Amino acid sequence: MQNISPTVRNIFSIPGIRLALFLATQLTLSLPDIHVYVKVGFCLFALASLIAENPNVKNILPLLTFSATFAAISYVNGAIHSNFELLGMLLCPPTYYLMGCSVVRTSQSDDGILWVILLTIITSNLILWENIIADVSENGMVNVSRIIATDDGSVLSATLQSMTASLGIACVACTISYGVRKKTVFIVSILAAALSLFCVIHLVTRTGLIVFAVVVFVALMYNYREQWWNILLAAAFVAVVFVLVAQLCGFYFDALDAYAERNEDSSIASGGLRTIIWKNALNDFLTHPFGWSNKVSYYAHNLWLDVARCAGMLPFFILVAISVRNYQFTYCLFKMEGNPLVGFIVGLNVCMFLSAFMEPVLEGVSTYFYLMCMMWGIQRTYYERIEDEYDEEGNDEDCE
């Protein structure tokens, strides 16, 4: 870790203090009773300094427009009942986006960016890992009830905990991209991925398994390109290791039985009934242009459709436009070969997109969306840093 950027090392600088407070904020992600206050406090502290440091503040205007329209219409509709969550929705997207930009600008090497991303994932998952390990002693290796009771008496949703765990699962892209070239990175990333994958299996969550499989595929595709035999061998190796670890831990057959039982209740072919929910949401979208959360009570299990449910068509289309623009940068980075940090960034973006596509993000774990904004800031600023090194035809046209 000798090459960690001055942003991390110099904790007494403004960027260093800001990063420390950010990581402390992420540490409370699995403590919903206090996290909403902590993240708003962080944004109030950080936003002014981030705007002063960022030379391209115009890049956050779309997010500011989305945040303002979503917060205002949601407030009128009564879709979000916490005033602090509404304030967070107004402040957090631009703050986290600028935080991502700052990470790249203040890191003098790719290692600095890499470690900030890894530390963000670790702090976001640390309490979740602790809760799952404690739950194993109560409910065994597989929790068929899919409910986690904490020491303070609160109950944590398996779906939302799985969404948080997907951040750790994305570390498999880091493991594949860097391999054993950086031993500390390899150990940290593979432990984070393994712990988060165990969380998903412990809670019998299917979305996490899908995310894991897709991220592995994307990371292999990025790193090996046309080397199909290497891709197949690497995928087979990951599958074998997963089965062996599961059997050695003694929960392989219990997990299979639990997943089979869940599939009987709601078939995986319907996305756990999500396809039905999405169809209903699209119907309501056409008949309720200003949202329908006060008329029909259900989550759309999709970030973009839940935005429409809470606040209607205007913020929905703004967020769609923002998303399309930022995933253009993901595609442009994917075309840049031979960069392990890019492989990790692309894998993490794919992971977060899939999770957001299938889960109730804004009303479940809103900070997950804010972290998406942060990754958008990281990838765009990083792309702008290295774009001169790449001369691929169409690169500038696609992303600029």
Side-chain angles (χ1 to χ4, degrees):
M1 296 176 60
Q2 294 179 345
N3 293 324
I4 298 178
S5 71
T7 305
V8 180
R9 293 201 307 268
N10 188 5
I11 199 64
F12 297 107
S13 66
I14 293 297
I17 294 171
R18 191 169 56 219
L19 178 61
L21 292 175
F22 167 74
L23 294 175
T25 299
Q26 293 309 118
L27 193 61
T28 67
L29 182 58
S30 292
L31 301 173
D33 290 342
I34 65 172
H35 180 64
V36 60
Y37 306 109
V38 175
K39 68 184 176 186
V40 169
F42 164 72
C43 289
L44 288 171
F45 167 82
L47 186 56
S49 63
L50 286 167
I51 290 176
E53 293 175 13
N54 196 308
N56 296 315
V57 177
K58 66 179 183 179
N59 290 339
I60 67 168
L61 291 179
L63 273 175
L64 281 173
T65 304
F66 165 74
S67 297
T69 55
F70 179 83
I73 300 174
S74 295
Y75 178 78
V76 173
N77 288 346
I80 298 180
H81 303 291
S82 167
N83 290 332
F84 269 89
E85 277 292 356
L86 280 172
L87 184 58
M89 176 51 64
L90 188 63
L91 296 174
C92 290
T95 303
Y96 275 65
Y97 181 90
L98 290 175
M99 187 72 190
C101 298
S102 174
V103 166
V104 177
R105 288 198 321 274
T106 57
S107 296
Q108 296 180 346
S109 68
D110 286 2
D111 283 354
I113 304 169
L114 169 65
W115 276 105
V116 170
I117 296 173
L118 284 174
L119 288 172
T120 299
I121 291 172
I122 291 168
T123 52
S124 298
N125 279 271
L126 199 58
I127 293 178
L128 168 63
W129 294 336
E130 180 185 357
N131 287 337
I132 293 296
I133 292 171
D135 191 64
V136 169
S137 64
E138 295 286 332
N139 296 292
M141 299 300 286
V142 178
N143 184 343
V144 293
S145 70
R146 309 188 68 240
I147 295 174
I148 301 176
T150 60
D151 293 335
D152 60 6
S154 60
V155 175
L156 302 176
S157 162
T159 296
L160 300 182
Q161 295 308 296
S162 174
M163 183 164 58
T164 303
S166 71
L167 297 170
I169 287 175
C171 285
V172 72
C174 180
T175 304
I176 292 171
S177 296
Y178 280 93
V180 295
R181 283 174 289 178
K182 296 179 180 293
K183 292 183 180 179
T184 306
V185 171
F186 179 81
I187 293 170
V188 170
S189 62
I190 202 167
L191 281 176
L195 283 168
S196 293
L197 184 60
F198 174 71
C199 293
V200 165
I201 297 173
H202 176 73
L203 295 171
V204 199
T205 305
R206 292 170 295 191
T207 303
L209 295 182
I210 295 171
V211 169
F212 174 77
V214 173
V215 170
V216 167
F217 176 76
V218 169
L220 291 173
M221 285 293 296
Y222 175 80
N223 287 281
Y224 296 105
R225 302 287 172 169
E226 301 299 327
Q227 303 173 39
W228 292 103
W229 281 111
N230 286 338
I231 293 176
L232 291 174
L233 287 173
F237 173 76
V238 171
V240 170
V241 170
F242 169 72
V243 171
L244 287 176
V245 170
Q247 286 184 320
L248 289 173
C249 292
F251 70 100
Y252 181 70
F253 293 106
D254 289 341
L256 285 181
D257 291 341
Y259 276 104
E261 184 177 342
R262 279 210 68 199
N263 200 48
E264 289 178 3
D265 295 336
S266 58
S267 169
I268 195 170
S270 67
L273 302 179
R274 281 173 176 79
T275 54
I276 298 172
I277 295 172
W278 294 338
K279 180 180 177 181
N280 292 335
L282 289 171
N283 290 333
D284 288 324
F285 175 78
L286 296 174
T287 56
H288 300 90
F290 297 103
W292 63 92
S293 62
N294 57 347
K295 301 176 179 67
V296 182
S297 178
Y298 69 90
Y299 294 129
H301 279 268
N302 177 283
L303 168 64
W304 297 267
L305 289 176
D306 272 319
V307 166
R309 185 179 65 85
C310 291
M313 291 185 176
L314 179 58
F316 167 82
F317 284 117
I318 295 173
L319 183 58
V320 167
I322 292 170
S323 302
V324 169
R325 178 61 171 162
N326 281 286
Y327 290 124
Q328 285 179 332
F329 282 101
T330 306
Y331 174 69
C332 289
L333 285 175
F334 183 81
K335 293 193 296 182
M336 297 180 175
E337 300 180 23
N339 187 323
L341 179 60
V342 167
F344 185 23
I345 291 174
V346 169
L348 186 53
N349 271 285
V350 169
C351 162
M352 300 183 84
F353 170 78
L354 286 174
S355 296
F357 199 86
M358 294 187 284
E359 303 296 3
V361 177
L362 287 180
E363 294 160 282
V365 185
S366 58
T367 302
Y368 196 90
F369 169 63
Y370 307 149
L371 288 172
M372 291 175 66
C373 296
M374 179 177 174
M375 285 308 304
W376 290 344
I378 286 175
Q379 72 170 7
R380 177 167 186 162
T381 310
Y382 187 69
Y383 173 81
E384 290 171 349
R385 171 191 281 190
I386 64 175
E387 63 177 341
D388 292 338
E389 301 174 12
Y390 293 86
D391 220 3
E392 294 179 3
E393 184 179 353
N395 221 23
D396 292 338
E397 182 179 350
D398 287 341
C399 297
E400 292 300 327

